[in-house]
Amino acid sequence: MKILLYKEDKDPFYLQIVKQIKTQILNHSLSAGDCLPSMRMLASDLRISVITTKRAYEELEKEGFIVTVLGKGTFITDKTVNVISDEHQREFNKAVDELLLHGKALQYSIDDIVVKIKERGK
């Protein structure tokens, strides 16, 4: 598992960890049943506070992405890919809504917006 933290990022470290673990689950770098490093080990590797990694793991567990088994470790749950995929779909839809809102404010037609998207996608 690879996590990179950026001080310049608007998100706090714990949220960067959460997002990166979710992304690794979605792109199958992490799979159901995979064991995550302990909070202490991750904190040490990232040179951050254990409190920060604890908060990230608590958030992931609250959302159902991981489960902690006392004495055994913390594992990716088997339902995470669908949950994350749904979350990404919601985020994408929100971005599209914002794009349409800005386009309408500039008096662009849907066709104009599609042309702009195609230009950017090259």
Side-chain angles (χ1 to χ4, degrees):
M1 180 175 80
K2 186 173 184 175
I3 303 286
L4 299 172
L5 301 179
Y6 301 95
K7 292 179 183 175
E8 319 73 48
D9 196 310
K10 64 177 174 56
D11 291 328
F13 286 158
Y14 87 91
L15 196 52
Q16 290 181 50
I17 294 168
V18 168
K19 287 180 176 182
Q20 289 181 47
I21 289 175
K22 286 179 181 181
T23 298
Q24 289 180 46
I25 292 168
L26 187 62
N27 70 21
H28 304 290
S29 297
L30 293 173
S31 303
D34 285 353
C35 185
L36 296 180
S38 71
M39 287 181 258
R40 289 185 192 282
M41 185 182 300
L42 184 60
S44 175
D45 289 348
L46 297 175
R47 294 187 174 105
I48 59 172
S49 165
V50 174
I51 295 168
T52 302
T53 56
K54 183 177 190 299
R55 186 167 180 193
Y57 278 26
E58 285 173 346
E59 183 71 23
L60 288 163
E61 192 154 14
K62 182 176 78 174
E63 294 180 26
F65 295 106
I66 63 173
V67 62
T68 300
V69 180
L70 287 176
K72 293 192 177 185
T74 302
F75 302 90
I76 305 295
T77 62
D78 57 356
K79 64 180 181 177
T80 55
V81 172
N82 291 335
V83 172
I84 292 176
S85 183
D86 290 346
E87 181 178 316
H88 278 268
Q89 187 64 46
R90 281 190 302 277
E91 288 178 14
F92 178 78
N93 289 340
K94 182 180 174 185
V96 169
D97 290 344
E98 289 178 18
L99 174 69
L100 291 171
L101 184 66
H102 289 293
K104 287 178 184 178
L106 294 168
Q107 299 181 338
Y108 287 160
S109 69
I110 295 295
D111 292 334
D112 293 336
I113 294 171
V114 170
V115 167
K116 296 273 185 201
I117 290 171
K118 285 180 179 180
E119 288 173 356
R120 294 288 208 174
K122 292 181 181 178

